[in-house]
């Protein structure tokens, strides 16, 4: 019985560490998405890696504490939304380069204006990114580095009953 409990604690601790790392990547990607000079295709690739980190953190889902599982789900959802935004933006940039001869002049002008802007996000996309950043800040704690080394048992009891979805 003790071995089983230790195994579950180890799985939760590992998931918590993976979650913290993925959350740091997500925060960096959200900030990069707000920067007009960011290469959108690179950002999209980084965002796909962040999605994979969240998937890895939630891999042993049935053994995770509800607070860890909920936090992973919340940030994975935010990460997924940002991935969709970056994909759309990358497709827009890609379509500007792959034009038909009939539409070449119009799309070349559009691609030129987009490249002068440094591949910046549209106003609607900027608003979505800001909303994602706000939602992510609400679901994470800035002191996650200091608490990530605590055991998962301590993590569960420290915030029990607060309603927070934070694993620490």
């Amino acid at each position: 019985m003790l071995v089983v409990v230790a195994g579950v604690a180890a799985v939760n601790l590992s998931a918590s560490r993976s979650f913290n790392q993925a959350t740091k990547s997500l925060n960096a990607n959200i900030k990069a998405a707000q920067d007009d000079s960011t290469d959108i295709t690179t950002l999209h690739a980084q965002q796909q890696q962040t999605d994979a980190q969240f998937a890895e953190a939630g891999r042993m889902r049935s053994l995770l504490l509800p607070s860890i599982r909920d936090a992973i789900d919340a940030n994975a959802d935010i990460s997924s939304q940002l991935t969709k935004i970056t994909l759309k933006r990358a497709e827009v940039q890609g379509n500007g380069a792959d034009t038909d001869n009939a539409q070449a002049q119009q799309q070349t002008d559009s691609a030129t204006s987009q490249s002068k802007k440094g591949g910046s996000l549209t106003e609607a996309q900027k608003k979505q990114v800001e909303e994602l950043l706000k939602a992510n800040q609400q679901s994470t704690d800035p002191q996650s580095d200091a608490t990530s080394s605590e055991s998962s048992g301590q993590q569960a009891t420290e915030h029990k009953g607060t309603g927070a979805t934070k694993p620490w």
Side-chain angles (χ1 to χ4, degrees):
M1 183 70 162
L2 188 58
V3 172
V4 171
V5 171
V8 170
V11 167
N12 278 276
L13 184 58
S14 175
S16 178
R17 286 184 181 160
S18 296
F19 168 76
N20 287 337
Q21 183 179 8
T23 299
K24 285 180 187 177
S25 296
L26 178 59
N27 286 331
N29 290 346
I30 289 172
K31 288 178 183 174
Q34 292 175 328
D35 186 7
D36 291 342
S37 65
T38 301
D39 179 25
I40 200 70
T41 55
T42 302
L43 178 62
H44 180 67
Q46 291 171 340
Q47 190 54 39
Q48 287 177 324
Q49 291 173 348
T50 301
D51 285 344
Q53 288 175 329
F54 280 116
E56 177 67 24
R59 185 172 45 112
M60 300 293 280
R61 188 165 188 75
S62 61
L63 297 176
L64 297 178
L65 294 171
S67 60
I68 294 173
R69 187 175 42 236
D70 292 344
I72 290 170
D73 290 345
N75 282 4
D77 184 50
I78 292 169
S79 183
S80 174
Q81 290 176 20
L82 182 58
T83 301
K84 289 175 186 175
I85 291 170
T86 59
L87 176 63
K88 287 178 186 177
R89 186 64 188 149
E91 287 175 349
V92 166
Q93 283 183 347
N95 288 338
D98 299 328
T99 60
D100 293 332
N101 289 334
Q103 300 173 347
Q105 185 59 41
Q106 290 177 347
Q107 291 184 353
T108 301
D109 291 342
S110 175
T112 303
S113 68
Q114 287 296 327
S115 66
K116 286 180 183 176
K117 294 179 184 176
S120 63
L121 299 174
T122 65
E123 290 301 316
Q125 290 171 329
K126 284 183 181 180
K127 184 179 177 184
Q128 286 179 325
V129 168
E130 288 173 9
E131 290 172 3
L132 290 173
L133 181 60
K134 288 177 187 176
N136 192 38
Q137 286 173 343
Q138 291 173 358
S139 69
T140 60
D141 184 21
Q143 298 176 348
S144 64
D145 290 341
T147 60
S148 65
S149 62
E150 296 176 4
S151 72
S152 59
Q154 290 172 333
Q155 292 168 356
T157 59
E158 285 181 7
H159 294 289
K160 190 172 186 179
T162 63
T165 58
K166 301 173 190 169
W168 45 87

